[in-house]
Amino acid sequence: MKAISERKSIRKYKPDNVKKEDIITMIQAGALAPSAKNRQPWKYIVYEGAEKDDLLDAMEKGLLRERDGEKLLPESQAGLPDAFHTLQIMREAPVLIIIENTNGQSPYADIDADGRITEICDTLSIGASVQNILLTAAELGYGTLWIANTCFAYHELADFIGIKGQLIGAVSLGIADEHPNPRPRKDIMEILEFR
């Protein structure tokens, strides 16, 4: 409960490197998560240094295309300013972890009901895995931010990375350079119902 209650979403990072063995420990924790039918549909790709810069240049191209050109998410345009801000956070973080659903496919592909159920179950599994990573990072003294704004540059990022499955998102990782206050949470009786 300590790591759960003390974990925060971090948007400012110190430039210090993250130890490779700590990254491996975090991913090992992610691999211990439960998964539907034990499919273990996760893959984690770690970017640092110049490779991270190139990745984020590809993301910026996608954000600019979404803002100024072809809009693949026209109903979500209000989220673009936040996506550009997230890009700056990602540039500051020393490490980015890209998350792939190895069983998934592009969200722009048609999918039948059976495939959709499998996709939902795999996404839930990946969520459990990512949470293990975030909590382990907190225990090891690192800050993280779970990022979904990659959706605006889905094609550019998937092409750059060479994703064969489905790009789920990213986690920025580093030593926190801020100590945000806890975010408000709904009252337990608002989210809990006994029957």
Side-chain angles (χ1 to χ4, degrees):
M1 288 298 289
K2 186 175 189 300
I4 293 171
S5 62
E6 292 181 358
R7 185 213 61 81
K8 306 281 189 308
S9 293
I10 299 299
R11 292 171 173 83
K12 293 181 182 176
Y13 297 91
K14 295 180 180 177
D16 308 50
N17 291 328
V18 177
K19 296 177 188 173
K20 186 174 183 179
E21 57 268 26
D22 287 345
I23 296 172
I24 292 169
T25 297
M26 292 173 215
I27 302 303
Q28 286 173 328
L32 294 174
S35 66
K37 309 298 185 199
N38 198 32
R39 283 192 293 267
Q40 302 175 57
W42 43 72
K43 180 176 180 180
Y44 297 99
I45 307 164
V46 178
Y47 283 88
E48 301 174 279
E51 290 82 8
K52 180 183 74 103
D53 295 339
D54 292 343
L55 171 78
L56 295 178
D57 288 346
M59 181 170 171
E60 185 170 16
K61 286 179 187 170
L63 295 181
L64 291 170
R65 185 252 323 127
E66 188 70 22
R67 185 188 71 191
D68 302 330
E70 181 186 9
K71 293 171 178 28
L72 299 178
L73 298 171
E75 301 300 317
S76 300
Q77 294 299 298
L80 264 176
D82 182 62
F84 278 101
H85 180 246
T86 300
L87 177 64
Q88 291 311 117
I89 294 166
M90 296 165 82
R91 288 195 187 278
E92 185 180 322
V95 175
L96 284 177
I97 304 171
I98 295 294
I99 304 147
E100 178 183 358
N101 174 354
T102 56
N103 296 331
Q105 56 184 312
S106 167
Y108 297 97
D110 288 332
I111 188 169
D112 60 26
D114 290 317
R116 180 74 66 214
I117 294 299
T118 299
E119 181 183 68
I120 290 168
C121 292
D122 285 346
T123 302
L124 290 169
S125 301
I126 291 167
S129 179
V130 171
Q131 180 73 344
N132 281 6
I133 291 169
L134 301 181
L135 294 176
T136 302
E139 285 182 355
L140 293 172
Y142 295 102
T144 56
L145 180 64
W146 166 228
I147 296 164
N149 276 328
T150 53
C151 62
F152 288 106
Y154 186 92
H155 293 307
E156 291 80 1
L157 287 169
D159 289 346
F160 178 87
I161 298 163
I163 293 269
K164 294 181 178 63
Q166 182 183 69
L167 174 63
I168 296 292
V171 171
S172 61
L173 169 67
I175 296 174
D177 198 19
E178 66 172 348
H179 301 284
N181 292 323
R183 300 291 300 268
R185 300 291 172 178
K186 293 180 179 179
D187 181 87
I188 191 69
M189 296 317 292
E190 189 179 344
I191 63 168
L192 173 64
E193 180 178 334
F194 289 100
R195 292 188 179 185

